[in-house]
Amino acid sequence: MDIFVQQLINGLVLGSVYALVALGYTMVYGILELINFAHGEVTMIGAMVALSVISALVGNGVALPGVVIALLGLLAAIPACMALGFTIERLAYRPLRNAPRLAPLITAIGVSIVLQNLAMLIWGRQYISFPPILPQGRHQLLGASITDVQIVILVTSVMLMLVLTLLVKRTRLGRAMRATAQSPQIAGLMGVNANTVISLTFVMGSALAAVAGVMVSAYYGLAHYYMGFLLGLKAFSAAVLGGIGNLAGAMFGGLLLGVIESLGAGYIGDFTGGFLGSNYQDVFAFFVLILVLVFRPSGLLGERVGERA
Amino acid sequence: MAALVLGGCGKHDGAASADNLIKIGSVAPLTGPQAHLGKDNENGARLAVDEINAAGLTLGGRKMHIDLLSEDDQADPKTATTVAQKLVDSGVAGVIGHLNSGSTIPASTIYHDAGIPQISPSATAIAYTAQGYNTAFRVMTNDEQQGHVLGQYAVNKLGAKKIAIIDDRTAYGQGLADEFAKAAEAAGAEIVGREYTTDKSTDFMAILTSIKSKAPDLVFFGGMDPQAGPMAKQMKQLGLKAQLLGGDGMQTPEFIKLAGADAEGAIASNPGLTLDAMPGGKAFREKFTARFGPIQNYAPYAYDAVYVMVEAMKRAGSSDPAKYLPELARTDYQGVTGKIRFDSKGDVSGGAVTLYQVKNGTWHPLETVYSGK
């Protein structure tokens, strides 16, 4: 039983990171009906920028508590990723706003490859390790163990999701975003500047991605130039699972996918009598993606959206 | 071109510069998570090539110059065959590589079909030399020997009774884990769990949790340092108190960098002797670190592999693969890593394996064992 709880904790921590990244996919899709495949790389750049700052501070013997140093890294990563998200939209997607659907999809994959190679040039090809500055406390919970870092990841993710939900539901900007998602033309006639709203959507999604990237690198203790690729694909699967374009769906889909992955990898060997092994861990996300697309294309929480008139 | 078609006696009337040039390929992953190991191999080979060129190489009365063609196989079997073909097409006389067993094995077929001798400094999977290719050699003890030593050591020296095994499903990781399992079971231990990951993963929480439920006293990992590092960290996070044991893919400075304080106490093996116990180890370390920085792992083997290849060319008086290949099989060379002789399969004779443990953030040798296999 305690092993099951442990797998659940593992899955929720992993899933809360997926959820943060999935929000970026879903927000952009909700407004533009575009899959921003470079979003995973934004996560990676966030981790890399934070690690550069943290390593520089630690390397120069700055006498600050580890948590403060990590926060400084995060504070450097967030604006960097915001600027990156803004730039990607301006350069790669805005000129193609009225082009056929396939064109921005191809540029998105192009941006993803460019960012990966750029990161390889700047930070090198090897794994970069996260300096051991964070508290390594472990706590017992229902017979399972949960570490300080895991608690921080869970709490931060849930807080950010709440903040984002309130922002979309309760503020003028949120209303403008929802209006633009429904109909950019009519929102424009009502005085909403669609370009500004779209830019802000990218900026917000990228800020969340930055936080996710820093948390992932703190959790595993490393970062590398292609870490965003698989993370991005899994987060995209999570967004589809929840219902692409649906904020609550992205959060739910992310958490669910993390749990599916952990339980799947943990128990697949026992259930199949060793026929399938835990090396299929990365396959579950895509298996779920296929199931969703076949049986419920609009996702678990998504509604069937009719074609726009 | 016509001269080449005529073949036979008129073989050497091309351009003088091309005539005095010997191309030797060096292949390893230069990008991706194992780039640090790949660069290390390339640097070892480069050091040897530069020394030989500086000393002056004469074959059959003609002064020769060696060009090292470095290629990146990304530790990927598919890419490995592409770059192997590229090297064959560019007319290499021999190849030092590849680094990983998984990429060495498919590439070896291409070299064998072209009759190009290949010496791997670091591929340890048994399958590589078991194919019966007369062009395939290695200068490092293979996994049968290494896995055997590790399995016996885990049970007889570390007293492990319940063992869990993780491997990364590569030719190397899987092969080593299988040999380890065989030897550990033969020595009387019980294998309580067998889990798998990939050579790209960083998340092992799920499989380590499932291993924790089986309460092993030792976890064996067959794979490389980019996975072994985070794995050691996550074992601590989960409070899994088992001895972590691995092979040469884990016995690197990079492992300690990635695992940080959690590397403490981990044990891993490396084929051959410690660098200090190697006949030319100390001198090699000075030369190498002055030029390239710290040795990651296999550089001395890549260095020796180049010398072994060139010595065979010298004895044959030619860099023509067909002419020096028989000489390569008859190698008896005192290298940096020790005495190098090949058996009929192309494996290096001897079978020494050294065990190391992380103490105070560095690898310390525990003992050297001769597998007798």
Side-chain angles (χ1 to χ4, degrees):
Chain A
M1 186 61 209
D2 52 353
I3 290 298
F4 179 75
V5 174
Q6 184 70 62
Q7 295 288 29
L8 214 54
I9 292 174
N10 298 345
L12 287 172
V13 173
L14 200 59
S16 67
V17 173
Y18 290 163
L20 278 190
V21 184
L23 281 171
Y25 278 101
T26 260
M27 278 159 58
V28 167
Y29 186 87
I31 288 206
L32 279 183
E33 299 200 357
L34 156 84
I35 305 289
N36 174 16
F37 271 118
H39 193 62
E41 272 61 46
V42 177
T43 310
M44 176 269 294
I45 298 278
M48 291 298 206
V49 169
L51 264 178
S52 301
V53 172
I54 292 167
S55 303
L57 289 173
V58 172
N60 292 321
V62 176
L64 286 169
V67 179
V68 177
I69 292 182
L71 275 177
L72 287 173
L74 182 65
L75 287 177
I78 292 173
C81 286
M82 283 175 156
L84 181 67
F86 178 82
T87 314
I88 292 173
E89 193 272 329
R90 281 303 281 272
L91 293 182
Y93 304 143
R94 191 169 296 185
L96 298 169
R97 186 92 33 98
N98 299 317
R101 273 283 189 87
L102 204 55
L105 189 75
I106 295 168
T107 46
I109 293 169
V111 171
S112 154
I113 294 169
V114 167
L115 287 175
Q116 274 193 43
N117 283 278
L118 204 62
M120 199 183 352
L121 287 170
I122 300 172
W123 288 286
R125 300 173 289 201
Q126 66 286 356
Y127 279 43
I128 301 171
S129 53
F130 196 100
I133 51 174
L134 295 172
Q136 297 287 336
R138 275 181 46 226
H139 314 278
Q140 290 300 316
L141 183 83
L142 305 172
S145 72
I146 184 162
T147 62
D148 288 342
V149 175
Q150 286 179 314
I151 294 172
V152 169
I153 290 177
L154 269 173
V155 171
T156 311
S157 302
V158 172
M159 294 243 308
L160 285 173
M161 291 182 214
L162 283 175
V163 169
L164 187 77
T165 310
L166 288 175
L167 194 141
V168 171
K169 289 245 157 74
R170 297 282 159 86
T171 63
R172 280 179 66 93
L173 171 64
R175 200 184 316 155
M177 283 171 74
R178 282 177 290 142
T180 312
Q182 275 184 7
S183 167
Q185 291 84 3
I186 307 242
L189 292 174
M190 298 294 141
V192 175
N193 183 340
N195 277 343
T196 310
V197 170
I198 290 166
S199 281
L200 278 171
T201 306
F202 270 86
V203 166
M204 281 193 297
S206 302
L208 292 178
V211 179
V214 176
M215 293 199 306
V216 166
S217 61
Y219 187 33
Y220 298 131
L222 48 84
H224 47 95
Y225 70 91
Y226 64 91
M227 67 186 276
F229 179 68
L230 196 58
L231 181 66
L233 279 182
K234 284 182 180 173
F236 167 68
S237 307
V240 173
L241 171 64
I244 189 96
N246 180 321
L247 286 184
M251 302 176 203
F252 177 69
L255 291 170
L256 187 64
L257 197 68
V259 171
I260 290 174
E261 196 179 303
S262 275
L263 294 180
Y267 290 106
I268 188 170
D270 302 343
F271 282 150
T272 59
F275 172 65
L276 294 175
S278 42
N279 48 324
Y280 285 82
Q281 180 170 346
D282 290 338
V283 178
F284 296 117
F286 308 117
F287 185 65
V288 167
L289 180 65
I290 292 168
L291 286 183
V292 170
L293 291 175
V294 170
F295 292 108
R296 205 181 150 78
S298 52
L300 296 178
L301 304 187
E303 293 125 43
R304 292 199 173 278
V305 185
E307 281 298 309
R308 272 189 194 160
Chain B
M1 276 322 284
L4 289 178
V5 179
L6 292 170
C9 48
K11 213 165 188 168
H12 283 299
D13 35 9
S17 64
D19 229 19
N20 297 342
L21 194 64
I22 304 173
K23 292 179 186 161
I24 294 183
S26 156
V27 196
L30 303 174
T31 51
Q34 295 177 35
H36 58 289
L37 296 171
K39 199 69 198 155
D40 194 52
N41 277 24
E42 187 199 317
N43 290 342
R46 191 165 300 284
L47 187 64
V49 165
D50 289 353
E51 278 176 12
I52 293 166
N53 282 335
L57 172 66
T58 315
L59 294 183
R62 212 183 347 200
K63 201 149 167 29
M64 301 299 252
H65 180 87
I66 303 177
D67 240 358
L68 190 72
L69 309 182
S70 173
E71 288 289 345
D72 175 15
D73 68 6
Q74 299 166 16
D76 169 50
K78 221 168 41 247
T79 314
T81 54
T82 314
V83 297
Q85 194 57 55
K86 186 177 160 189
L87 285 173
V88 168
D89 293 345
S90 60
V92 288
V95 175
I96 308 298
H98 299 201
L99 186 146
N100 310 81
S101 298
S103 49
T104 303
I105 295 163
S108 66
T109 306
I110 291 170
Y111 300 130
H112 176 252
D113 292 348
I116 308 271
Q118 166 193 18
I119 307 178
S120 173
S122 48
T124 49
I126 306 157
Y128 167 49
T129 49
Q131 301 171 104
Y133 293 161
N134 63 342
T135 48
F137 299 87
R138 66 171 133 225
V139 287
M140 187 178 261
T141 312
N142 72 21
D143 285 340
E144 189 181 4
Q145 298 157 319
Q146 191 178 194
H148 183 76
V149 165
L150 279 163
Q152 289 195 320
Y153 189 87
V155 180
N156 301 339
K157 285 275 165 56
L158 302 173
K161 291 182 182 59
K162 293 164 78 183
I163 296 176
I165 300 178
I166 306 174
D167 78 61
D168 67 0
R169 300 274 91 184
T170 62
Y172 161 72
Q174 198 177 333
L176 186 66
D178 287 346
E179 289 300 325
F180 170 85
K182 251 194 290 187
E185 276 186 312
E190 184 197 354
I191 309 296
V192 292
R194 186 97 201 233
E195 297 288 343
Y196 310 101
T197 180
T198 72
D199 59 352
K200 305 273 187 298
S201 304
T202 50
D203 179 65
F204 312 104
M205 295 299 270
I207 56 177
L208 288 172
T209 299
S210 132
I211 280 176
K212 190 184 170 184
S213 69
K214 301 183 172 112
D217 36 31
L218 184 137
V219 173
F220 179 81
F221 175 56
M224 306 300 279
D225 54 18
Q227 280 67 47
M231 193 178 286
K233 250 189 152 64
Q234 289 165 39
M235 279 171 73
K236 275 281 189 323
Q237 282 181 3
L238 288 166
L240 173 54
K241 288 180 182 58
Q243 171 68 48
L244 177 62
L245 178 69
D248 55 302
M250 176 174 140
Q251 203 272 308
T252 63
E254 187 76 7
F255 165 74
I256 299 175
K257 210 178 92 189
L258 291 174
D262 300 334
E264 204 61 21
I267 299 176
S269 64
N270 216 331
L273 307 165
T274 64
L275 197 61
D276 288 321
M278 286 176 186
K282 282 199 179 73
F284 176 81
R285 179 187 293 141
E286 274 165 29
K287 268 192 304 199
F288 187 92
T289 46
R291 192 170 153 187
F292 301 113
I295 297 171
Q296 282 293 340
N297 199 343
Y298 310 117
Y301 292 92
Y303 177 88
D304 272 358
V306 172
Y307 269 101
V308 163
M309 191 173 270
V310 173
E311 286 300 319
M313 290 177 185
K314 276 187 188 165
R315 288 197 305 277
S318 163
S319 62
D320 179 356
K323 291 207 178 79
Y324 85 85
L325 182 59
E327 285 297 338
L328 191 56
R330 281 196 286 272
T331 290
D332 183 355
Y333 176 74
Q334 181 63 47
V336 164
T337 57
K339 197 123 189 80
I340 297 174
R341 284 204 197 97
F342 297 119
D343 66 9
S344 58
K345 289 200 307 246
D347 280 327
V348 69
S349 320
V353 177
T354 306
L355 289 128
Y356 299 79
Q357 183 167 32
V358 180
K359 292 177 193 157
N360 308 322
T362 49
W363 287 106
H364 287 276
L366 295 169
E367 57 180 303
T368 298
V369 185
Y370 288 87
S371 74
K373 282 207 156 202

